[in-house]
Amino acid sequence: MKKPAILLTTLALMLAACDTKTTTTTETTSGTSTETSGASTSSTDASATSTDASGTTSLAGGAGKSSKDTLVIQESSDVPTMDPGTSYDTSSGALLENMYETLVTYKGTSIDEFEGLLATDWKEEEGGKRYRFTLRPDVKFHSGNPFTCADAEYTFQRNLVTNGAESGNWFLAESLLGTGANANDDKNITWKQIDDAVQCDGETLVFNLPKVDPAFISKLAYTGQAIVDSKHAKEIGEWDGTEATWKDAVGADLAQSALAKDPSGTGPYQLVSADANTMTFKAFDGYWGGAAPIKNVVRQLVPEEASRVQAFLNGDADRVEFPSREVIDTQVKGQPGVIVEDDVPALGAYAFLMNMNLEGSTNIGSGKWGDGVPTNFFQDANMRKCFVNAFNYDQYIEQVQLGKGQKRNFMLPPEFMGYDESIAPANYDMAAAEEACKAAHGGAAWENGFTVNAAYREGSKSMQTALEILKQNIEQLNPKFKINVVGKQWSEIIDQKNKEVIVYGGWAPDYADPDNFVHTMYHSEGYYAPRSGIKDAEIDKWIDEARSTTDVEKRKALYKQVAQKAMDESYFIILPVAVSQNVYRDNLQGKTKDKENPMLAGGWRWKDLSKTQ
């Protein structure tokens, strides 16, 4: 089962999986986006904007400010896809959630209460193995086609059929097919399974699950499960939705699909134009939910942080990606027309992964003690405990997070069911680190020494600092210990053939259920297993049990067992998580932290925002 990376490689912004909200955190997820610079010009109905080669924004006619009817957004990352069927990054999701709609969505700011969007009602049957959704009537797609049950059926079957490695459809497939794989990777999958899993009973959509999934409704709120215009999709060359052709579509790369280039959703905004640097959107006149206050949205790629900051301060951009808390505090906070809200919760989990399976790695030096590490280096629990205790968590909080971080005991946000505050987080303890290092590998590590290569994304100063904290303390233990802090290109780090000894990793939620974090990070078949080498049969058993019951108290108890054992075994160097900041111009209404839903890729939907001038 393949899932796209949500490896964290910068500490300055939420991308990616990943979160490019105009909310800045000190740990951030990063997707596989590429930063590209260049000049472009694009127009909306209300006004035209242009971005020069330096990234500076200007409005046509010399207006100098973004107009009341236009929202200007600047980000440092490009947009990998505009096809919801393969979207699995926040850059794409922040746009798609305004163009397309899911059956259900999060109620207000809640992360565990849901309300209908394209569904008006739903009910659970057969003890949670069947769901029936009543669909909203009188809804139109941007193409003008009416929304029907056939569109929903086509959407979910298309997601199950394609289920590409770069999509989030693995967790839908787990619910509906009992496997996260597609039919190329799991030959047991048949068309009948896919067809039976999603059906229309008149205009009622029916899901049939092979077993209970307590997270199923939350999975349907994910932007990647938004409903597409099936008639339009077929007309422009997408899969025709039939048994005769389904195998040809299995695993298809949809990033640059026909639908990505010519989207049609039911959302309040529709795409007008797009090039490498600028995308423009306009409010959809036929939107069932009524007219949006902001009529035009311009999304610009501006890699240069100074240009984004200046555009924001000038009022040329309404929402921009800020690189760090330090920049906000020193360059933005207190400036005229700017509001900075602090202490915004960040729904992410971050850690150093200590790979217990280094067989075949090209990053282990000689592969022997001294000028390298053996392939079983981190299989010894004492070796892991040495590194866990040698990391100075308080220094990290002060130096990297400017005092705004909180220690964690589990790779799960405290806002999620299953996080237990009673378990003590790891602490910096050099005496304990020395004791563990001396015991590791029967004393061989202490006697012979080692050289560890620790990777970070080149250019990520915050991550480099974090690794240098670890390096300083490990090398202080024994003159024979050496850590090389190595900057690498993102593409090299996430290459599936690459096995790092230590690498920074983390997760931002796809759906609001603890399973999305716990299975991903701790299960031997989870996404991070190849990078951490984790393989604990007891933990696997607890996770499998927790994801198969709707008994909340039972799930809490199981997750506590996972957290405690994982802490005892020192499977991760769990990093503190800092609160975020919400920064916006004072003429932008609705973008307050008390109205943010952190499960939305953009935090706020454009239709809920307005401008006073």
Side-chain angles (χ1 to χ4, degrees), residues 133-165:
F133 285 80
T134 302
L135 304 181
R136 188 176 298 279
D138 304 319
V139 174
K140 289 184 178 181
F141 287 100
H142 300 157
S143 66
N145 293 330
F147 162 62
T148 69
C149 185
D151 297 300
E153 181 183 41
Y154 173 84
T155 295
F156 291 108
Q157 290 185 352
R158 178 177 184 254
N159 289 349
L160 293 173
V161 167
T162 56
N163 195 7

CSV table of all heavy atoms in Angstrom, one decimal, residues 133-165:
chain,number,residue,atom,x,y,z
A,133,PHE,N,-27.1,8.1,2.3
A,133,PHE,CA,-27.0,9.6,2.3
A,133,PHE,C,-28.2,10.2,1.4
A,133,PHE,O,-28.3,9.8,0.2
A,133,PHE,CB,-25.7,10.0,1.7
A,133,PHE,CG,-24.6,9.9,2.7
A,133,PHE,CD1,-24.0,8.6,2.9
A,133,PHE,CD2,-24.1,11.0,3.5
A,133,PHE,CE1,-22.9,8.5,3.8
A,133,PHE,CE2,-23.1,10.8,4.4
A,133,PHE,CZ,-22.5,9.6,4.6
A,134,THR,N,-28.9,11.1,2.0
A,134,THR,CA,-29.9,11.8,1.2
A,134,THR,C,-29.2,13.1,0.6
A,134,THR,O,-28.5,13.8,1.4
A,134,THR,CB,-31.0,12.3,2.1
A,134,THR,OG1,-31.7,11.2,2.7
A,134,THR,CG2,-32.1,13.1,1.3
A,135,LEU,N,-29.3,13.2,-0.7
A,135,LEU,CA,-28.5,14.3,-1.3
A,135,LEU,C,-29.2,15.6,-1.5
A,135,LEU,O,-30.5,15.6,-1.6
A,135,LEU,CB,-28.0,13.7,-2.7
A,135,LEU,CG,-27.2,12.4,-2.7
A,135,LEU,CD1,-26.8,12.0,-4.1
A,135,LEU,CD2,-26.0,12.6,-1.7
A,136,ARG,N,-28.5,16.6,-1.5
A,136,ARG,CA,-29.1,18.0,-1.6
A,136,ARG,C,-29.7,18.2,-3.0
A,136,ARG,O,-29.0,17.9,-4.0
A,136,ARG,CB,-28.0,19.0,-1.3
A,136,ARG,CG,-28.6,20.5,-1.2
A,136,ARG,CD,-27.5,21.5,-0.9
A,136,ARG,NE,-26.9,21.2,0.4
A,136,ARG,CZ,-27.5,21.5,1.6
A,136,ARG,NH1,-28.6,22.1,1.6
A,136,ARG,NH2,-26.9,21.2,2.7
A,137,PRO,N,-30.9,18.6,-3.1
A,137,PRO,CA,-31.5,18.8,-4.5
A,137,PRO,C,-31.2,20.2,-5.0
A,137,PRO,O,-30.6,21.1,-4.3
A,137,PRO,CB,-33.0,18.8,-4.2
A,137,PRO,CG,-33.1,19.3,-2.7
A,137,PRO,CD,-31.9,18.8,-2.0
A,138,ASP,N,-31.4,20.4,-6.3
A,138,ASP,CA,-31.3,21.7,-7.0
A,138,ASP,C,-29.9,22.3,-6.8
A,138,ASP,O,-29.7,23.5,-6.6
A,138,ASP,CB,-32.3,22.7,-6.4
A,138,ASP,CG,-33.7,22.2,-6.5
A,138,ASP,OD1,-34.1,21.6,-7.6
A,138,ASP,OD2,-34.5,22.4,-5.5
A,139,VAL,N,-28.9,21.5,-7.0
A,139,VAL,CA,-27.5,21.9,-7.0
A,139,VAL,C,-26.9,21.8,-8.4
A,139,VAL,O,-27.2,20.8,-9.1
A,139,VAL,CB,-26.6,21.0,-6.0
A,139,VAL,CG1,-25.2,21.4,-6.1
A,139,VAL,CG2,-27.1,21.2,-4.6
A,140,LYS,N,-26.2,22.7,-8.9
A,140,LYS,CA,-25.6,22.7,-10.2
A,140,LYS,C,-24.0,22.7,-10.1
A,140,LYS,O,-23.4,23.3,-9.2
A,140,LYS,CB,-26.0,23.9,-11.0
A,140,LYS,CG,-27.5,23.9,-11.4
A,140,LYS,CD,-27.8,25.0,-12.3
A,140,LYS,CE,-29.3,25.0,-12.8
A,140,LYS,NZ,-29.6,26.1,-13.7
A,141,PHE,N,-23.4,22.1,-11.1
A,141,PHE,CA,-22.0,22.2,-11.3
A,141,PHE,C,-21.6,23.5,-12.0
A,141,PHE,O,-22.5,24.1,-12.6
A,141,PHE,CB,-21.5,21.0,-12.0
A,141,PHE,CG,-21.4,19.7,-11.2
A,141,PHE,CD1,-22.5,18.8,-11.4
A,141,PHE,CD2,-20.4,19.4,-10.3
A,141,PHE,CE1,-22.4,17.6,-10.7
A,141,PHE,CE2,-20.4,18.3,-9.6
A,141,PHE,CZ,-21.4,17.3,-9.8
A,142,HIS,N,-20.4,23.8,-12.0
A,142,HIS,CA,-20.0,25.0,-12.8
A,142,HIS,C,-20.2,24.9,-14.3
A,142,HIS,O,-20.4,25.9,-14.9
A,142,HIS,CB,-18.5,25.2,-12.5
A,142,HIS,CG,-18.1,25.4,-11.1
A,142,HIS,ND1,-16.8,25.2,-10.6
A,142,HIS,CD2,-18.8,25.8,-10.0
A,142,HIS,CE1,-16.8,25.5,-9.3
A,142,HIS,NE2,-18.0,25.8,-8.9
A,143,SER,N,-20.3,23.7,-14.8
A,143,SER,CA,-20.6,23.5,-16.2
A,143,SER,C,-22.1,23.7,-16.5
A,143,SER,O,-22.5,23.9,-17.7
A,143,SER,CB,-20.3,22.0,-16.5
A,143,SER,OG,-21.2,21.1,-15.8
A,144,GLY,N,-22.9,23.8,-15.5
A,144,GLY,CA,-24.3,23.9,-15.6
A,144,GLY,C,-25.1,22.6,-15.5
A,144,GLY,O,-26.3,22.6,-15.4
A,145,ASN,N,-24.3,21.5,-15.4
A,145,ASN,CA,-24.9,20.2,-15.2
A,145,ASN,C,-25.5,20.1,-13.8
A,145,ASN,O,-24.9,20.6,-12.9
A,145,ASN,CB,-23.9,19.1,-15.4
A,145,ASN,CG,-23.4,19.0,-16.9
A,145,ASN,OD1,-24.1,19.3,-17.8
A,145,ASN,ND2,-22.2,18.5,-17.0
A,146,PRO,N,-26.7,19.4,-13.7
A,146,PRO,CA,-27.2,19.2,-12.4
A,146,PRO,C,-26.5,18.1,-11.6
A,146,PRO,O,-26.0,17.2,-12.2
A,146,PRO,CB,-28.7,18.8,-12.7
A,146,PRO,CG,-28.6,18.1,-14.0
A,146,PRO,CD,-27.5,18.8,-14.8
A,147,PHE,N,-26.4,18.3,-10.3
A,147,PHE,CA,-25.8,17.3,-9.4
A,147,PHE,C,-26.8,16.2,-9.1
A,147,PHE,O,-27.9,16.5,-8.7
A,147,PHE,CB,-25.3,18.0,-8.1
A,147,PHE,CG,-25.1,17.0,-6.9
A,147,PHE,CD1,-24.1,16.0,-7.0
A,147,PHE,CD2,-25.8,17.1,-5.8
A,147,PHE,CE1,-23.9,15.2,-6.0
A,147,PHE,CE2,-25.6,16.3,-4.7
A,147,PHE,CZ,-24.7,15.3,-4.8
A,148,THR,N,-26.4,15.0,-9.3
A,148,THR,CA,-27.3,13.8,-9.1
A,148,THR,C,-26.5,12.7,-8.3
A,148,THR,O,-25.2,12.8,-8.2
A,148,THR,CB,-27.8,13.2,-10.4
A,148,THR,OG1,-26.7,12.6,-11.1
A,148,THR,CG2,-28.5,14.3,-11.2
A,149,CYS,N,-27.2,11.7,-7.9
A,149,CYS,CA,-26.5,10.6,-7.2
A,149,CYS,C,-25.5,10.0,-8.1
A,149,CYS,O,-24.4,9.5,-7.6
A,149,CYS,CB,-27.5,9.6,-6.8
A,149,CYS,SG,-26.9,8.2,-5.8
A,150,ALA,N,-25.7,10.0,-9.4
A,150,ALA,CA,-24.8,9.3,-10.4
A,150,ALA,C,-23.4,10.0,-10.3
A,150,ALA,O,-22.4,9.4,-10.5
A,150,ALA,CB,-25.3,9.4,-11.8
A,151,ASP,N,-23.4,11.3,-10.0
A,151,ASP,CA,-22.1,12.0,-9.9
A,151,ASP,C,-21.3,11.5,-8.6
A,151,ASP,O,-20.1,11.3,-8.7
A,151,ASP,CB,-22.3,13.5,-9.8
A,151,ASP,CG,-23.0,14.1,-11.0
A,151,ASP,OD1,-22.4,13.9,-12.1
A,151,ASP,OD2,-24.1,14.6,-10.9
A,152,ALA,N,-22.0,11.4,-7.5
A,152,ALA,CA,-21.4,10.9,-6.3
A,152,ALA,C,-20.9,9.5,-6.5
A,152,ALA,O,-19.8,9.1,-6.1
A,152,ALA,CB,-22.4,11.0,-5.1
A,153,GLU,N,-21.7,8.6,-7.1
A,153,GLU,CA,-21.3,7.2,-7.3
A,153,GLU,C,-20.1,7.2,-8.2
A,153,GLU,O,-19.1,6.4,-7.9
A,153,GLU,CB,-22.5,6.5,-8.0
A,153,GLU,CG,-22.2,5.0,-8.3
A,153,GLU,CD,-23.3,4.3,-9.0
A,153,GLU,OE1,-23.9,4.9,-9.9
A,153,GLU,OE2,-23.6,3.2,-8.7
A,154,TYR,N,-20.1,8.0,-9.3
A,154,TYR,CA,-18.9,8.0,-10.2
A,154,TYR,C,-17.7,8.5,-9.4
A,154,TYR,O,-16.6,7.9,-9.6
A,154,TYR,CB,-19.2,8.9,-11.3
A,154,TYR,CG,-18.0,9.2,-12.2
A,154,TYR,CD1,-17.7,8.3,-13.2
A,154,TYR,CD2,-17.2,10.3,-12.1
A,154,TYR,CE1,-16.6,8.5,-14.1
A,154,TYR,CE2,-16.1,10.6,-12.9
A,154,TYR,CZ,-15.8,9.7,-13.9
A,154,TYR,OH,-14.7,9.9,-14.7
A,155,THR,N,-17.8,9.5,-8.6
A,155,THR,CA,-16.7,10.1,-7.9
A,155,THR,C,-16.0,9.0,-7.0
A,155,THR,O,-14.8,8.9,-7.1
A,155,THR,CB,-17.1,11.3,-7.0
A,155,THR,OG1,-17.6,12.3,-7.8
A,155,THR,CG2,-16.0,11.8,-6.1
A,156,PHE,N,-16.8,8.4,-6.2
A,156,PHE,CA,-16.2,7.4,-5.2
A,156,PHE,C,-15.6,6.2,-5.9
A,156,PHE,O,-14.6,5.6,-5.6
A,156,PHE,CB,-17.2,7.0,-4.1
A,156,PHE,CG,-17.5,8.2,-3.2
A,156,PHE,CD1,-18.7,8.9,-3.3
A,156,PHE,CD2,-16.5,8.6,-2.3
A,156,PHE,CE1,-18.9,9.9,-2.4
A,156,PHE,CE2,-16.7,9.7,-1.5
A,156,PHE,CZ,-18.0,10.4,-1.5
A,157,GLN,N,-16.3,5.7,-7.0
A,157,GLN,CA,-15.8,4.6,-7.7
A,157,GLN,C,-14.5,5.0,-8.5
A,157,GLN,O,-13.6,4.2,-8.6
A,157,GLN,CB,-16.9,4.0,-8.7
A,157,GLN,CG,-18.0,3.4,-7.9
A,157,GLN,CD,-19.1,2.7,-8.8
A,157,GLN,OE1,-19.0,2.9,-10.1
A,157,GLN,NE2,-20.0,2.0,-8.3
A,158,ARG,N,-14.5,6.2,-9.0
A,158,ARG,CA,-13.2,6.7,-9.7
A,158,ARG,C,-12.1,6.7,-8.7
A,158,ARG,O,-11.0,6.3,-9.0
A,158,ARG,CB,-13.5,8.1,-10.3
A,158,ARG,CG,-12.3,8.7,-10.9
A,158,ARG,CD,-12.7,10.0,-11.5
A,158,ARG,NE,-11.6,10.7,-12.3
A,158,ARG,CZ,-10.9,11.7,-11.9
A,158,ARG,NH1,-11.2,12.2,-10.7
A,158,ARG,NH2,-10.0,12.2,-12.6
A,159,ASN,N,-12.3,7.1,-7.5
A,159,ASN,CA,-11.3,7.2,-6.5
A,159,ASN,C,-10.8,5.8,-6.1
A,159,ASN,O,-9.6,5.6,-5.9
A,159,ASN,CB,-11.8,8.0,-5.2
A,159,ASN,CG,-11.9,9.4,-5.5
A,159,ASN,OD1,-11.5,9.9,-6.5
A,159,ASN,ND2,-12.6,10.1,-4.6
A,160,LEU,N,-11.7,4.9,-6.0
A,160,LEU,CA,-11.4,3.5,-5.7
A,160,LEU,C,-10.6,2.8,-6.8
A,160,LEU,O,-9.7,2.0,-6.6
A,160,LEU,CB,-12.6,2.7,-5.3
A,160,LEU,CG,-13.3,3.0,-4.0
A,160,LEU,CD1,-14.6,2.3,-3.9
A,160,LEU,CD2,-12.5,2.8,-2.8
A,161,VAL,N,-11.0,3.1,-8.0
A,161,VAL,CA,-10.4,2.5,-9.2
A,161,VAL,C,-9.0,3.1,-9.4
A,161,VAL,O,-8.0,2.3,-9.5
A,161,VAL,CB,-11.2,2.7,-10.5
A,161,VAL,CG1,-10.4,2.4,-11.7
A,161,VAL,CG2,-12.5,1.9,-10.4
A,162,THR,N,-8.8,4.4,-9.4
A,162,THR,CA,-7.5,5.0,-9.7
A,162,THR,C,-6.6,4.8,-8.5
A,162,THR,O,-5.5,4.2,-8.6
A,162,THR,CB,-7.7,6.5,-10.0
A,162,THR,OG1,-8.4,7.2,-8.9
A,162,THR,CG2,-8.4,6.7,-11.3
A,163,ASN,N,-7.0,5.3,-7.3
A,163,ASN,CA,-6.2,5.1,-6.1
A,163,ASN,C,-4.7,5.2,-6.3
A,163,ASN,O,-4.0,4.3,-5.9
A,163,ASN,CB,-6.6,3.8,-5.4
A,163,ASN,CG,-6.2,3.7,-3.9
A,163,ASN,OD1,-5.7,4.7,-3.4
A,163,ASN,ND2,-6.3,2.5,-3.4
A,164,GLY,N,-4.3,6.3,-6.9
A,164,GLY,CA,-2.8,6.4,-7.2
A,164,GLY,C,-2.0,6.7,-6.0
A,164,GLY,O,-2.5,7.1,-4.9
A,165,ALA,N,-0.7,6.4,-6.1
A,165,ALA,CA,0.2,6.6,-5.0
A,165,ALA,C,0.3,8.0,-4.5
A,165,ALA,O,0.7,8.2,-3.4
A,165,ALA,CB,1.6,6.1,-5.5
